[in-house]
């Protein structure tokens, strides 16, 4: 909307009402995008907000070997074996005043990831409610950080 130009193909799927993210469907979408467009498969980044942040956790757990980095934003808590993300850079964002998804949801996952040796950055916006995505997606440092990462083979 601001006219910024990024060296990315951006895909923004919407989860059907009354459903949750299915990582198999997300991976099939990813395969279709790769088949239809010129995509550098060593630079696949996944981000999402709120329920989409939960989808990021699900996708990262489902196929971490395909991703270069992930950015979950105000994600609800999801349990998964944290060591699966051992080689996947993570930058998680959350608002401290979030009235929709408690900050503790992100803290629980971030603590588990760090305990498993995962490279996790964690940014908490002290005055943000649920909308922690506007500040995140407006931050050019996020895109610089993403571009630093290429998929690593475990």
């Amino acid at each position: 909307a601001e006219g910024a130009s990024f060296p990315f193909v951006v895909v923004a799927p919407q989860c059907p009402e009354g459903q949750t993210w299915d990582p198999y469907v997300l991976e099939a979408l990813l395969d279709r995008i790769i088949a239809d467009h010129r995509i550098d498969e060593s630079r696949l980044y996944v981000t999402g907000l709120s329920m989409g942040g939960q989808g990021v956790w699900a996708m990262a757990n489902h196929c971490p070997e395909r991703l270069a980095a992930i950015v979950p934003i105000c994600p609800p808590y999801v349990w998964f074996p944290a060591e699966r993300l051992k080689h996947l850079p993570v930058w998680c964002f959350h608002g401290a005043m979030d009235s929709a998804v408690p900050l503790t949801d992100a803290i629980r996952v971030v603590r588990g990831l760090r305990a498993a040796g995962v490279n996790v950055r964690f940014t908490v916006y002290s005055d943000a409610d649920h909308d922690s995505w506007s500040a995140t997606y407006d931050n050019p440092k996020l895109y610089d950080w993403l571009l630093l990462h290429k998929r690593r083979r475990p």
Side-chain angles (χ1 to χ4, degrees), residues 11-95:
V11 179
Q14 299 297 304
C15 190
E17 191 172 334
Q19 296 183 28
T20 58
W21 288 112
D22 179 335
Y24 293 96
V25 171
L26 291 172
E27 187 174 28
L29 173 63
L30 181 61
D31 290 338
R32 181 59 188 241
I33 301 294
I34 290 168
D36 291 351
H37 301 279
R38 207 178 81 203
I39 303 294
D40 179 352
E41 291 187 58
S42 71
R43 292 186 178 274
L44 299 177
Y45 310 114
V46 179
T47 183
L49 52 105
S50 194
M51 191 172 104
Q54 192 173 37
V56 171
W57 292 138
M59 185 76 172
N61 178 52
H62 175 68
C63 57
E65 71 285 349
R66 295 190 70 180
L67 307 176
I70 62 169
V71 181
I73 303 171
C74 56
Y77 176 77
V78 174
W79 183 91
F80 54 87
E83 59 276 356
R84 289 189 46 78
L85 277 58
K86 186 98 173 173
H87 300 282
L88 185 62
V90 177
W91 193 353
C92 183
F93 294 84
H94 213 108

Side-chain angles (χ1 to χ4, degrees), residues 131-147:
D131 179 3
S132 49
W133 54 86
S134 292
T136 299
Y137 291 140
D138 283 345
N139 183 353
K141 291 180 182 176
L142 170 66
Y143 306 102
D144 293 340
W145 179 83
L146 285 171
L147 289 169

Side-chain angles (χ1 to χ4, degrees), residues 82-83 85-88 110-120:
E83 59 276 356
L85 277 58
K86 186 98 173 173
H87 300 282
L88 185 62
V110 167
R111 281 185 178 153
L113 292 171
R114 286 181 174 164
V118 178
N119 177 11
V120 182

